[in-house]
Amino acid sequence: MASKVSGMFWTWVHSSTGPKTTHFWAPVCNWFFPIQALYDWNRDPAKISKEMQCVLVCYSSLFMRWALRISPQSYILFCMHLFNATLQGRLLIRRLTWESSQQKAIEDKPTN
Amino acid sequence: MFGIVPKLQQYICAWNFWPAFMKKFMMSEKGPFTIFFWTPLAKWGISIANIGDMRKPVEQVNTLQQCVITLTGLLFTRWCFIIRPRVYNLVLCNFCMAQTGIYQLYRKHSQGKLFTR
């Protein structure tokens, strides 16, 4: 049993879509997008780029649909883009909320 | 999902003033009524947003995000060369993504703020 599993593992390692090829690492590095958004969970809203967050949300939303329309469908890619759209959207909302509170603070400031 | 887009496609393509090449493009399986048309544009949007962010102060540039954009751009440039068919638009798109990411990281590094959050 152990040798069978080991055989399957090494077959995968040496395969044309295994970890020795770009076919493996390119989708893996795509997962760094949601991981980055998790790492920046408490990022200072003044340091969040609104435009980049908007673009990343749109990018992931479109690619969610793309992952289900390609053949074969890729549910892993769909999940990755779902997480990314949600987490980058959270950062976008964080920034927009902060901008709104800044605007309100300026408006509420008593004028002499 | 609700069949709205195919209905919209049929409605718009039924207009008489479209030239033949335009109708063929709109009805094609990679045309503007399919997701395959809009996804490369979304990827170009990342490069365009990065170019726009070059005017902003470096404190607003997210080092980790730019590292991910650079790495994704480089790996997908290579990936686009090994898949079939080759789509050179996607090669250029991913290459530009990587270049803008590298430049943003250089901007941060030149001001000594590469590792500041």
Side-chain angles (χ1 to χ4, degrees), chain B residues 21-41:
Chain B
F21 75 91
M22 196 66 193
K23 235 183 204 174
K24 193 176 166 192
F25 166 65
M26 288 195 296
M27 293 296 291
S28 75
E29 55 180 28
K30 290 181 195 171
F33 291 96
T34 67
I35 196 70
F36 304 108
F37 180 81
W38 297 103
T39 42
L41 290 185

Side-chain angles (χ1 to χ4, degrees), chain A residues 35-109:
Chain A
I35 289 168
Q36 172 264 313
L38 277 175
Y39 177 78
D40 284 332
W41 189 266
N42 284 324
R43 188 171 176 86
D44 179 9
K47 294 182 181 177
I48 294 174
S49 168
K50 197 168 50 176
E51 291 80 13
M52 182 57 88
Q53 296 309 126
C54 282
V55 163
L56 286 172
V57 169
C58 292
Y59 160 78
S60 274
S61 307
L62 288 172
F63 270 85
M64 270 163 60
R65 167 83 178 148
W66 183 82
L68 296 178
R69 287 287 283 125
I70 53 172
S71 180
Q73 289 176 329
S74 174
Y75 294 108
I76 296 175
L77 198 66
F78 174 79
C79 282
M80 175 253 143
H81 283 297
L82 179 64
F83 288 147
N84 196 34
T86 315
L87 293 168
Q88 302 288 358
R90 183 192 166 272
L91 287 177
L92 175 64
I93 288 168
R94 201 171 150 77
R95 167 74 188 200
L96 292 174
T97 312
W98 175 80
E99 278 185 1
S100 161
S101 67
Q102 291 290 102
Q103 188 64 27
K104 202 165 179 303
I106 291 168
E107 284 165 6
D108 288 347
K109 198 173 173 184

